[in-house]
PDB file of all heavy atoms in Angstrom:
ATOM      1  N   GLU A   1     -41.409 -13.113   4.304  1.00 87.00           N
ATOM      2  CA  GLU A   1     -42.057 -11.846   4.378  1.00 87.00           C
ATOM      3  C   GLU A   1     -42.756 -11.677   5.715  1.00 87.00           C
ATOM      4  O   GLU A   1     -42.693 -10.622   6.351  1.00 87.00           O
ATOM      5  CB  GLU A   1     -43.137 -11.701   3.247  1.00 87.00           C
ATOM      6  CG  GLU A   1     -42.503 -11.487   1.902  1.00 87.00           C
ATOM      7  CD  GLU A   1     -43.532 -11.424   0.771  1.00 87.00           C
ATOM      8  OE1 GLU A   1     -44.757 -11.433   1.061  1.00 87.00           O
ATOM      9  OE2 GLU A   1     -43.152 -11.440  -0.389  1.00 87.00           O
ATOM     10  N   SER A   2     -43.369 -12.725   6.193  1.00 85.00           N
ATOM     11  CA  SER A   2     -44.009 -12.689   7.535  1.00 85.00           C
ATOM     12  C   SER A   2     -42.940 -12.476   8.611  1.00 85.00           C
ATOM     13  O   SER A   2     -43.165 -11.661   9.510  1.00 85.00           O
ATOM     14  CB  SER A   2     -44.716 -14.027   7.736  1.00 85.00           C
ATOM     15  OG  SER A   2     -45.222 -14.082   9.061  1.00 85.00           O
ATOM     16  N   LEU A   3     -41.861 -13.216   8.520  1.00 87.00           N
ATOM     17  CA  LEU A   3     -40.811 -13.032   9.499  1.00 87.00           C
ATOM     18  C   LEU A   3     -40.196 -11.661   9.453  1.00 87.00           C
ATOM     19  O   LEU A   3     -39.889 -11.014  10.460  1.00 87.00           O
ATOM     20  CB  LEU A   3     -39.694 -14.072   9.341  1.00 87.00           C
ATOM     21  CG  LEU A   3     -40.007 -15.483   9.805  1.00 87.00           C
ATOM     22  CD1 LEU A   3     -38.900 -16.464   9.399  1.00 87.00           C
ATOM     23  CD2 LEU A   3     -40.235 -15.510  11.281  1.00 87.00           C
ATOM     24  N   SER A   4     -39.980 -11.145   8.239  1.00 89.00           N
ATOM     25  CA  SER A   4     -39.465  -9.783   8.069  1.00 89.00           C
ATOM     26  C   SER A   4     -40.410  -8.749   8.689  1.00 89.00           C
ATOM     27  O   SER A   4     -39.948  -7.838   9.368  1.00 89.00           O
ATOM     28  CB  SER A   4     -39.238  -9.453   6.615  1.00 89.00           C
ATOM     29  OG  SER A   4     -38.217 -10.272   6.074  1.00 89.00           O
ATOM     30  N   ALA A   5     -41.678  -8.878   8.470  1.00 90.00           N
ATOM     31  CA  ALA A   5     -42.667  -7.958   9.035  1.00 90.00           C
ATOM     32  C   ALA A   5     -42.649  -8.062  10.568  1.00 90.00           C
ATOM     33  O   ALA A   5     -42.683  -7.028  11.232  1.00 90.00           O
ATOM     34  CB  ALA A   5     -44.045  -8.298   8.495  1.00 90.00           C
ATOM     35  N   LYS A   6     -42.600  -9.298  11.077  1.00 90.00           N
ATOM     36  CA  LYS A   6     -42.540  -9.458  12.517  1.00 90.00           C
ATOM     37  C   LYS A   6     -41.303  -8.881  13.117  1.00 90.00           C
ATOM     38  O   LYS A   6     -41.270  -8.218  14.146  1.00 90.00           O
ATOM     39  CB  LYS A   6     -42.695 -10.935  12.915  1.00 90.00           C
ATOM     40  CG  LYS A   6     -44.088 -11.458  12.675  1.00 90.00           C
ATOM     41  CD  LYS A   6     -44.192 -12.908  13.026  1.00 90.00           C
ATOM     42  CE  LYS A   6     -45.592 -13.423  12.751  1.00 90.00           C
ATOM     43  NZ  LYS A   6     -45.728 -14.879  13.094  1.00 90.00           N
ATOM     44  N   PHE A   7     -40.158  -9.084  12.433  1.00 91.00           N
ATOM     45  CA  PHE A   7     -38.900  -8.558  12.879  1.00 91.00           C
ATOM     46  C   PHE A   7     -38.926  -7.032  12.897  1.00 91.00           C
ATOM     47  O   PHE A   7     -38.477  -6.402  13.851  1.00 91.00           O
ATOM     48  CB  PHE A   7     -37.738  -9.056  12.010  1.00 91.00           C
ATOM     49  CG  PHE A   7     -36.417  -8.538  12.436  1.00 91.00           C
ATOM     50  CD1 PHE A   7     -35.753  -9.010  13.513  1.00 91.00           C
ATOM     51  CD2 PHE A   7     -35.807  -7.508  11.734  1.00 91.00           C
ATOM     52  CE1 PHE A   7     -34.562  -8.504  13.966  1.00 91.00           C
ATOM     53  CE2 PHE A   7     -34.584  -6.985  12.119  1.00 91.00           C
ATOM     54  CZ  PHE A   7     -33.970  -7.512  13.250  1.00 91.00           C
ATOM     55  N   ARG A   8     -39.474  -6.422  11.827  1.00 92.00           N
ATOM     56  CA  ARG A   8     -39.580  -4.953  11.788  1.00 92.00           C
ATOM     57  C   ARG A   8     -40.467  -4.450  12.920  1.00 92.00           C
ATOM     58  O   ARG A   8     -40.122  -3.437  13.567  1.00 92.00           O
ATOM     59  CB  ARG A   8     -40.120  -4.500  10.418  1.00 92.00           C
ATOM     60  CG  ARG A   8     -39.056  -4.498   9.358  1.00 92.00           C
ATOM     61  CD  ARG A   8     -39.557  -3.780   8.083  1.00 92.00           C
ATOM     62  NE  ARG A   8     -40.769  -4.374   7.519  1.00 92.00           N
ATOM     63  CZ  ARG A   8     -40.770  -5.397   6.660  1.00 92.00           C
ATOM     64  NH1 ARG A   8     -39.619  -5.930   6.290  1.00 92.00           N
ATOM     65  NH2 ARG A   8     -41.944  -5.870   6.175  1.00 92.00           N
ATOM     66  N   ALA A   9     -41.557  -5.163  13.160  1.00 91.00           N
ATOM     67  CA  ALA A   9     -42.426  -4.703  14.239  1.00 91.00           C
ATOM     68  C   ALA A   9     -41.759  -4.783  15.601  1.00 91.00           C
ATOM     69  O   ALA A   9     -41.849  -3.887  16.436  1.00 91.00           O
ATOM     70  CB  ALA A   9     -43.723  -5.569  14.253  1.00 91.00           C
ATOM     71  N   ILE A  10     -41.072  -5.928  15.808  1.00 92.00           N
ATOM     72  CA  ILE A  10     -40.314  -6.072  17.093  1.00 92.00           C
ATOM     73  C   ILE A  10     -39.157  -5.030  17.149  1.00 92.00           C
ATOM     74  O   ILE A  10     -38.951  -4.462  18.240  1.00 92.00           O
ATOM     75  CB  ILE A  10     -39.757  -7.501  17.213  1.00 92.00           C
ATOM     76  CG1 ILE A  10     -40.899  -8.501  17.406  1.00 92.00           C
ATOM     77  CG2 ILE A  10     -38.723  -7.635  18.306  1.00 92.00           C
ATOM     78  CD1 ILE A  10     -40.463  -9.930  17.335  1.00 92.00           C
ATOM     79  N   SER A  11     -38.523  -4.753  16.081  1.00 91.00           N
ATOM     80  CA  SER A  11     -37.464  -3.783  16.062  1.00 91.00           C
ATOM     81  C   SER A  11     -37.978  -2.413  16.346  1.00 91.00           C
ATOM     82  O   SER A  11     -37.401  -1.664  17.141  1.00 91.00           O
ATOM     83  CB  SER A  11     -36.732  -3.829  14.690  1.00 91.00           C
ATOM     84  OG  SER A  11     -35.725  -2.824  14.642  1.00 91.00           O
ATOM     85  N   ASP A  12     -39.114  -2.064  15.727  1.00 92.00           N
ATOM     86  CA  ASP A  12     -39.743  -0.740  16.021  1.00 92.00           C
ATOM     87  C   ASP A  12     -40.161  -0.661  17.471  1.00 92.00           C
ATOM     88  O   ASP A  12     -39.975   0.420  18.095  1.00 92.00           O
ATOM     89  CB  ASP A  12     -40.960  -0.525  15.077  1.00 92.00           C
ATOM     90  CG  ASP A  12     -40.581  -0.339  13.643  1.00 92.00           C
ATOM     91  OD1 ASP A  12     -39.354  -0.076  13.400  1.00 92.00           O
ATOM     92  OD2 ASP A  12     -41.434  -0.479  12.764  1.00 92.00           O
ATOM     93  N   LEU A  13     -40.721  -1.691  17.973  1.00 92.00           N
ATOM     94  CA  LEU A  13     -41.157  -1.739  19.371  1.00 92.00           C
ATOM     95  C   LEU A  13     -39.943  -1.587  20.302  1.00 92.00           C
ATOM     96  O   LEU A  13     -39.998  -0.857  21.285  1.00 92.00           O
ATOM     97  CB  LEU A  13     -41.913  -3.019  19.674  1.00 92.00           C
ATOM     98  CG  LEU A  13     -42.583  -3.167  21.009  1.00 92.00           C
ATOM     99  CD1 LEU A  13     -43.663  -2.064  21.165  1.00 92.00           C
ATOM    100  CD2 LEU A  13     -43.258  -4.493  21.181  1.00 92.00           C
ATOM    101  N   CYS A  14     -38.868  -2.267  19.940  1.00 92.00           N
ATOM    102  CA  CYS A  14     -37.626  -2.160  20.744  1.00 92.00           C
ATOM    103  C   CYS A  14     -37.081  -0.723  20.727  1.00 92.00           C
ATOM    104  O   CYS A  14     -36.704  -0.201  21.813  1.00 92.00           O
ATOM    105  CB  CYS A  14     -36.584  -3.130  20.226  1.00 92.00           C
ATOM    106  SG  CYS A  14     -35.061  -3.147  21.149  1.00 92.00           S
ATOM    107  N   LYS A  15     -37.119  -0.068  19.583  1.00 93.00           N
ATOM    108  CA  LYS A  15     -36.655   1.301  19.506  1.00 93.00           C
ATOM    109  C   LYS A  15     -37.528   2.229  20.307  1.00 93.00           C
ATOM    110  O   LYS A  15     -37.047   3.143  20.995  1.00 93.00           O
ATOM    111  CB  LYS A  15     -36.632   1.766  18.008  1.00 93.00           C
ATOM    112  CG  LYS A  15     -35.508   1.162  17.216  1.00 93.00           C
ATOM    113  CD  LYS A  15     -35.540   1.567  15.749  1.00 93.00           C
ATOM    114  CE  LYS A  15     -34.507   0.813  14.945  1.00 93.00           C
ATOM    115  NZ  LYS A  15     -34.601   1.105  13.538  1.00 93.00           N
ATOM    116  N   THR A  16     -38.826   1.995  20.274  1.00 93.00           N
ATOM    117  CA  THR A  16     -39.778   2.761  21.048  1.00 93.00           C
ATOM    118  C   THR A  16     -39.477   2.634  22.541  1.00 93.00           C
ATOM    119  O   THR A  16     -39.401   3.631  23.279  1.00 93.00           O
ATOM    120  CB  THR A  16     -41.214   2.337  20.757  1.00 93.00           C
ATOM    121  OG1 THR A  16     -41.473   2.522  19.369  1.00 93.00           O
ATOM    122  CG2 THR A  16     -42.189   3.171  21.550  1.00 93.00           C
ATOM    123  N   PHE A  17     -39.270   1.417  22.975  1.00 94.00           N
ATOM    124  CA  PHE A  17     -38.924   1.154  24.368  1.00 94.00           C
ATOM    125  C   PHE A  17     -37.576   1.775  24.740  1.00 94.00           C
ATOM    126  O   PHE A  17     -37.417   2.352  25.867  1.00 94.00           O
ATOM    127  CB  PHE A  17     -38.947  -0.317  24.716  1.00 94.00           C
ATOM    128  CG  PHE A  17     -40.291  -0.909  24.803  1.00 94.00           C
ATOM    129  CD1 PHE A  17     -40.580  -2.190  24.324  1.00 94.00           C
ATOM    130  CD2 PHE A  17     -41.338  -0.229  25.416  1.00 94.00           C
ATOM    131  CE1 PHE A  17     -41.823  -2.726  24.388  1.00 94.00           C
ATOM    132  CE2 PHE A  17     -42.624  -0.758  25.501  1.00 94.00           C
ATOM    133  CZ  PHE A  17     -42.858  -2.010  24.972  1.00 94.00           C
ATOM    134  N   GLU A  18     -36.623   1.722  23.866  1.00 95.00           N
ATOM    135  CA  GLU A  18     -35.284   2.322  24.147  1.00 95.00           C
ATOM    136  C   GLU A  18     -35.440   3.836  24.278  1.00 95.00           C
ATOM    137  O   GLU A  18     -34.863   4.427  25.201  1.00 95.00           O
ATOM    138  CB  GLU A  18     -34.263   1.969  23.048  1.00 95.00           C
ATOM    139  CG  GLU A  18     -33.778   0.567  23.085  1.00 95.00           C
ATOM    140  CD  GLU A  18     -32.939   0.211  21.882  1.00 95.00           C
ATOM    141  OE1 GLU A  18     -32.885   0.991  20.905  1.00 95.00           O
ATOM    142  OE2 GLU A  18     -32.306  -0.882  21.897  1.00 95.00           O
ATOM    143  N   ASN A  19     -36.224   4.487  23.423  1.00 95.00           N
ATOM    144  CA  ASN A  19     -36.451   5.898  23.501  1.00 95.00           C
ATOM    145  C   ASN A  19     -37.176   6.260  24.780  1.00 95.00           C
ATOM    146  O   ASN A  19     -36.816   7.253  25.510  1.00 95.00           O
ATOM    147  CB  ASN A  19     -37.267   6.427  22.299  1.00 95.00           C
ATOM    148  CG  ASN A  19     -36.461   6.333  21.043  1.00 95.00           C
ATOM    149  OD1 ASN A  19     -35.241   6.311  21.024  1.00 95.00           O
ATOM    150  ND2 ASN A  19     -37.158   6.294  19.903  1.00 95.00           N
ATOM    151  N   GLU A  20     -38.176   5.491  25.128  1.00 95.00           N
ATOM    152  CA  GLU A  20     -38.927   5.734  26.399  1.00 95.00           C
ATOM    153  C   GLU A  20     -38.006   5.555  27.589  1.00 95.00           C
ATOM    154  O   GLU A  20     -38.066   6.329  28.530  1.00 95.00           O
ATOM    155  CB  GLU A  20     -40.118   4.821  26.451  1.00 95.00           C
ATOM    156  CG  GLU A  20     -41.006   5.088  27.649  1.00 95.00           C
ATOM    157  CD  GLU A  20     -42.248   4.207  27.701  1.00 95.00           C
ATOM    158  OE1 GLU A  20     -42.493   3.424  26.736  1.00 95.00           O
ATOM    159  OE2 GLU A  20     -42.951   4.246  28.731  1.00 95.00           O
ATOM    160  N   ASN A  21     -37.205   4.494  27.538  1.00 95.00           N
ATOM    161  CA  ASN A  21     -36.281   4.208  28.635  1.00 95.00           C
ATOM    162  C   ASN A  21     -35.283   5.385  28.788  1.00 95.00           C
ATOM    163  O   ASN A  21     -34.987   5.809  29.910  1.00 95.00           O
ATOM    164  CB  ASN A  21     -35.508   2.899  28.360  1.00 95.00           C
ATOM    165  CG  ASN A  21     -34.751   2.449  29.555  1.00 95.00           C
ATOM    166  OD1 ASN A  21     -35.016   2.789  30.681  1.00 95.00           O
ATOM    167  ND2 ASN A  21     -33.693   1.670  29.299  1.00 95.00           N
ATOM    168  N   GLY A  22     -34.777   5.912  27.693  1.00 96.00           N
ATOM    169  CA  GLY A  22     -33.868   7.059  27.744  1.00 96.00           C
ATOM    170  C   GLY A  22     -34.519   8.291  28.351  1.00 96.00           C
ATOM    171  O   GLY A  22     -33.968   8.969  29.162  1.00 96.00           O
ATOM    172  N   ALA A  23     -35.796   8.506  27.922  1.00 96.00           N
ATOM    173  CA  ALA A  23     -36.512   9.668  28.463  1.00 96.00           C
ATOM    174  C   ALA A  23     -36.766   9.500  29.945  1.00 96.00           C
ATOM    175  O   ALA A  23     -36.601  10.454  30.747  1.00 96.00           O
ATOM    176  CB  ALA A  23     -37.851   9.844  27.703  1.00 96.00           C
ATOM    177  N   LEU A  24     -37.092   8.296  30.374  1.00 96.00           N
ATOM    178  CA  LEU A  24     -37.326   8.025  31.792  1.00 96.00           C
ATOM    179  C   LEU A  24     -36.032   8.169  32.564  1.00 96.00           C
ATOM    180  O   LEU A  24     -36.046   8.688  33.734  1.00 96.00           O
ATOM    181  CB  LEU A  24     -37.933   6.638  31.968  1.00 96.00           C
ATOM    182  CG  LEU A  24     -39.360   6.491  31.521  1.00 96.00           C
ATOM    183  CD1 LEU A  24     -39.756   4.986  31.598  1.00 96.00           C
ATOM    184  CD2 LEU A  24     -40.302   7.354  32.330  1.00 96.00           C
ATOM    185  N   LYS A  25     -34.904   7.760  32.025  1.00 97.00           N
ATOM    186  CA  LYS A  25     -33.652   7.922  32.691  1.00 97.00           C
ATOM    187  C   LYS A  25     -33.296   9.385  32.834  1.00 97.00           C
ATOM    188  O   LYS A  25     -32.807   9.802  33.907  1.00 97.00           O
ATOM    189  CB  LYS A  25     -32.502   7.202  31.978  1.00 97.00           C
ATOM    190  CG  LYS A  25     -32.508   5.700  32.171  1.00 97.00           C
ATOM    191  CD  LYS A  25     -31.405   5.008  31.419  1.00 97.00           C
ATOM    192  CE  LYS A  25     -31.423   3.528  31.581  1.00 97.00           C
ATOM    193  NZ  LYS A  25     -30.381   2.808  30.895  1.00 97.00           N
ATOM    194  N   ASP A  26     -33.553  10.169  31.837  1.00 96.00           N
ATOM    195  CA  ASP A  26     -33.332  11.623  31.866  1.00 96.00           C
ATOM    196  C   ASP A  26     -34.227  12.270  32.969  1.00 96.00           C
ATOM    197  O   ASP A  26     -33.703  13.089  33.746  1.00 96.00           O
ATOM    198  CB  ASP A  26     -33.619  12.301  30.527  1.00 96.00           C
ATOM    199  CG  ASP A  26     -32.571  11.913  29.484  1.00 96.00           C
ATOM    200  OD1 ASP A  26     -31.497  11.423  29.835  1.00 96.00           O
ATOM    201  OD2 ASP A  26     -32.881  12.113  28.257  1.00 96.00           O
ATOM    202  N   ARG A  27     -35.438  11.863  32.986  1.00 97.00           N
ATOM    203  CA  ARG A  27     -36.358  12.371  34.036  1.00 97.00           C
ATOM    204  C   ARG A  27     -35.874  11.998  35.446  1.00 97.00           C
ATOM    205  O   ARG A  27     -35.976  12.769  36.395  1.00 97.00           O
ATOM    206  CB  ARG A  27     -37.766  11.864  33.858  1.00 97.00           C
ATOM    207  CG  ARG A  27     -38.553  12.597  32.723  1.00 97.00           C
ATOM    208  CD  ARG A  27     -39.897  12.056  32.520  1.00 97.00           C
ATOM    209  NE  ARG A  27     -40.701  12.194  33.691  1.00 97.00           N
ATOM    210  CZ  ARG A  27     -41.868  11.615  33.887  1.00 97.00           C
ATOM    211  NH1 ARG A  27     -42.348  10.790  32.918  1.00 97.00           N
ATOM    212  NH2 ARG A  27     -42.553  11.740  34.967  1.00 97.00           N
ATOM    213  N   LEU A  28     -35.386  10.742  35.558  1.00 97.00           N
ATOM    214  CA  LEU A  28     -34.892  10.283  36.867  1.00 97.00           C
ATOM    215  C   LEU A  28     -33.667  11.124  37.300  1.00 97.00           C
ATOM    216  O   LEU A  28     -33.637  11.552  38.459  1.00 97.00           O
ATOM    217  CB  LEU A  28     -34.498   8.831  36.783  1.00 97.00           C
ATOM    218  CG  LEU A  28     -33.919   8.203  38.082  1.00 97.00           C
ATOM    219  CD1 LEU A  28     -34.933   8.213  39.192  1.00 97.00           C
ATOM    220  CD2 LEU A  28     -33.466   6.760  37.810  1.00 97.00           C
ATOM    221  N   VAL A  29     -32.753  11.395  36.403  1.00 97.00           N
ATOM    222  CA  VAL A  29     -31.614  12.210  36.760  1.00 97.00           C
ATOM    223  C   VAL A  29     -32.023  13.626  37.159  1.00 97.00           C
ATOM    224  O   VAL A  29     -31.559  14.161  38.148  1.00 97.00           O
ATOM    225  CB  VAL A  29     -30.609  12.271  35.518  1.00 97.00           C
ATOM    226  CG1 VAL A  29     -29.569  13.329  35.724  1.00 97.00           C
ATOM    227  CG2 VAL A  29     -29.957  10.915  35.330  1.00 97.00           C
ATOM    228  N   GLN A  30     -33.013  14.162  36.395  1.00 97.00           N
ATOM    229  CA  GLN A  30     -33.514  15.479  36.711  1.00 97.00           C
ATOM    230  C   GLN A  30     -34.158  15.488  38.101  1.00 97.00           C
ATOM    231  O   GLN A  30     -33.927  16.426  38.907  1.00 97.00           O
ATOM    232  CB  GLN A  30     -34.513  15.921  35.661  1.00 97.00           C
ATOM    233  CG  GLN A  30     -35.054  17.311  35.874  1.00 97.00           C
ATOM    234  CD  GLN A  30     -36.079  17.662  34.805  1.00 97.00           C
ATOM    235  OE1 GLN A  30     -36.512  16.802  34.020  1.00 97.00           O
ATOM    236  NE2 GLN A  30     -36.478  18.913  34.790  1.00 97.00           N
ATOM    237  N   ARG A  31     -34.938  14.512  38.404  1.00 97.00           N
ATOM    238  CA  ARG A  31     -35.616  14.457  39.712  1.00 97.00           C
ATOM    239  C   ARG A  31     -34.592  14.247  40.825  1.00 97.00           C
ATOM    240  O   ARG A  31     -34.719  14.823  41.915  1.00 97.00           O
ATOM    241  CB  ARG A  31     -36.634  13.295  39.767  1.00 97.00           C
ATOM    242  CG  ARG A  31     -37.775  13.440  38.830  1.00 97.00           C
ATOM    243  CD  ARG A  31     -38.654  14.639  39.228  1.00 97.00           C
ATOM    244  NE  ARG A  31     -39.865  14.716  38.421  1.00 97.00           N
ATOM    245  CZ  ARG A  31     -40.045  15.536  37.378  1.00 97.00           C
ATOM    246  NH1 ARG A  31     -39.133  16.383  37.066  1.00 97.00           N
ATOM    247  NH2 ARG A  31     -41.184  15.523  36.724  1.00 97.00           N
ATOM    248  N   GLU A  32     -33.568  13.466  40.597  1.00 97.00           N
ATOM    249  CA  GLU A  32     -32.520  13.298  41.595  1.00 97.00           C
ATOM    250  C   GLU A  32     -31.803  14.575  41.845  1.00 97.00           C
ATOM    251  O   GLU A  32     -31.461  14.945  43.045  1.00 97.00           O
ATOM    252  CB  GLU A  32     -31.515  12.213  41.164  1.00 97.00           C
ATOM    253  CG  GLU A  32     -32.070  10.799  41.274  1.00 97.00           C
ATOM    254  CD  GLU A  32     -31.178   9.742  40.721  1.00 97.00           C
ATOM    255  OE1 GLU A  32     -30.198  10.075  39.999  1.00 97.00           O
ATOM    256  OE2 GLU A  32     -31.460   8.551  40.965  1.00 97.00           O
ATOM    257  N   GLN A  33     -31.510  15.383  40.805  1.00 97.00           N
ATOM    258  CA  GLN A  33     -30.865  16.671  40.957  1.00 97.00           C
ATOM    259  C   GLN A  33     -31.779  17.628  41.774  1.00 97.00           C
ATOM    260  O   GLN A  33     -31.361  18.348  42.632  1.00 97.00           O
ATOM    261  CB  GLN A  33     -30.495  17.267  39.640  1.00 97.00           C
ATOM    262  CG  GLN A  33     -29.347  16.552  38.939  1.00 97.00           C
ATOM    263  CD  GLN A  33     -29.152  17.020  37.507  1.00 97.00           C
ATOM    264  OE1 GLN A  33     -29.974  17.739  36.959  1.00 97.00           O
ATOM    265  NE2 GLN A  33     -28.049  16.645  36.948  1.00 97.00           N
ATOM    266  N   GLU A  34     -33.039  17.615  41.421  1.00 97.00           N
ATOM    267  CA  GLU A  34     -34.014  18.463  42.149  1.00 97.00           C
ATOM    268  C   GLU A  34     -34.075  18.054  43.649  1.00 97.00           C
ATOM    269  O   GLU A  34     -34.108  18.879  44.544  1.00 97.00           O
ATOM    270  CB  GLU A  34     -35.408  18.349  41.528  1.00 97.00           C
ATOM    271  CG  GLU A  34     -35.559  19.033  40.195  1.00 97.00           C
ATOM    272  CD  GLU A  34     -36.913  18.742  39.546  1.00 97.00           C
ATOM    273  OE1 GLU A  34     -37.759  18.105  40.184  1.00 97.00           O
ATOM    274  OE2 GLU A  34     -37.099  19.202  38.406  1.00 97.00           O
ATOM    275  N   MET A  35     -34.052  16.714  43.877  1.00 97.00           N
ATOM    276  CA  MET A  35     -34.132  16.230  45.234  1.00 97.00           C
ATOM    277  C   MET A  35     -32.875  16.659  46.020  1.00 97.00           C
ATOM    278  O   MET A  35     -32.943  17.050  47.178  1.00 97.00           O
ATOM    279  CB  MET A  35     -34.278  14.739  45.230  1.00 97.00           C
ATOM    280  CG  MET A  35     -34.537  14.152  46.648  1.00 97.00           C
ATOM    281  SD  MET A  35     -34.862  12.392  46.619  1.00 97.00           S
ATOM    282  CE  MET A  35     -33.254  11.760  46.323  1.00 97.00           C
ATOM    283  N   GLN A  36     -31.711  16.585  45.387  1.00 97.00           N
ATOM    284  CA  GLN A  36     -30.502  17.014  46.044  1.00 97.00           C
ATOM    285  C   GLN A  36     -30.503  18.503  46.385  1.00 97.00           C
ATOM    286  O   GLN A  36     -30.127  18.937  47.487  1.00 97.00           O
ATOM    287  CB  GLN A  36     -29.244  16.723  45.182  1.00 97.00           C
ATOM    288  CG  GLN A  36     -28.912  15.234  45.126  1.00 97.00           C
ATOM    289  CD  GLN A  36     -27.774  14.908  44.158  1.00 97.00           C
ATOM    290  OE1 GLN A  36     -27.347  15.825  43.399  1.00 97.00           O
ATOM    291  NE2 GLN A  36     -27.309  13.690  44.175  1.00 97.00           N
ATOM    292  N   ALA A  37     -31.001  19.313  45.443  1.00 96.00           N
ATOM    293  CA  ALA A  37     -31.112  20.773  45.692  1.00 96.00           C
ATOM    294  C   ALA A  37     -32.098  21.031  46.810  1.00 96.00           C
ATOM    295  O   ALA A  37     -31.852  21.889  47.706  1.00 96.00           O
ATOM    296  CB  ALA A  37     -31.544  21.462  44.413  1.00 96.00           C
ATOM    297  N   LEU A  38     -33.228  20.324  46.821  1.00 96.00           N
ATOM    298  CA  LEU A  38     -34.210  20.541  47.913  1.00 96.00           C
ATOM    299  C   LEU A  38     -33.654  20.044  49.217  1.00 96.00           C
ATOM    300  O   LEU A  38     -33.909  20.689  50.268  1.00 96.00           O
ATOM    301  CB  LEU A  38     -35.532  19.799  47.582  1.00 96.00           C
ATOM    302  CG  LEU A  38     -36.336  20.409  46.427  1.00 96.00           C
ATOM    303  CD1 LEU A  38     -37.496  19.490  46.077  1.00 96.00           C
ATOM    304  CD2 LEU A  38     -36.845  21.775  46.844  1.00 96.00           C
ATOM    305  N   GLN A  39     -32.891  18.988  49.242  1.00 97.00           N
ATOM    306  CA  GLN A  39     -32.308  18.482  50.493  1.00 97.00           C
ATOM    307  C   GLN A  39     -31.319  19.474  51.029  1.00 97.00           C
ATOM    308  O   GLN A  39     -31.254  19.766  52.242  1.00 97.00           O
ATOM    309  CB  GLN A  39     -31.631  17.104  50.264  1.00 97.00           C
ATOM    310  CG  GLN A  39     -31.038  16.508  51.535  1.00 97.00           C
ATOM    311  CD  GLN A  39     -32.132  16.151  52.567  1.00 97.00           C
ATOM    312  OE1 GLN A  39     -33.170  15.657  52.249  1.00 97.00           O
ATOM    313  NE2 GLN A  39     -31.849  16.434  53.828  1.00 97.00           N
TER     314      GLN A  39
END
């Protein structure tokens, strides 16, 4: 039960980081496009 709880917590944390990483990648692409347009 302890391991399952820890695994779920790590899994949730991993999903959170993956979502944040995806959002940051989207922002990066958007900023690069803005930078190209400004250039």
Side-chain angles (χ1 to χ4, degrees):
E1 288 176 9
S2 173
L3 285 174
S4 295
K6 288 179 182 181
F7 179 76
R8 280 192 301 275
I10 290 172
S11 179
D12 291 343
L13 188 61
C14 183
K15 287 177 186 175
T16 302
F17 285 141
E18 285 174 350
N19 291 337
E20 184 179 353
N21 190 24
L24 289 173
K25 284 181 180 180
D26 291 343
R27 283 180 59 195
L28 178 63
V29 167
Q30 183 181 9
R31 295 296 186 255
E32 286 174 347
Q33 289 172 348
E34 290 173 4
M35 189 174 73
Q36 287 175 351
L38 289 172
Q39 183 64 43

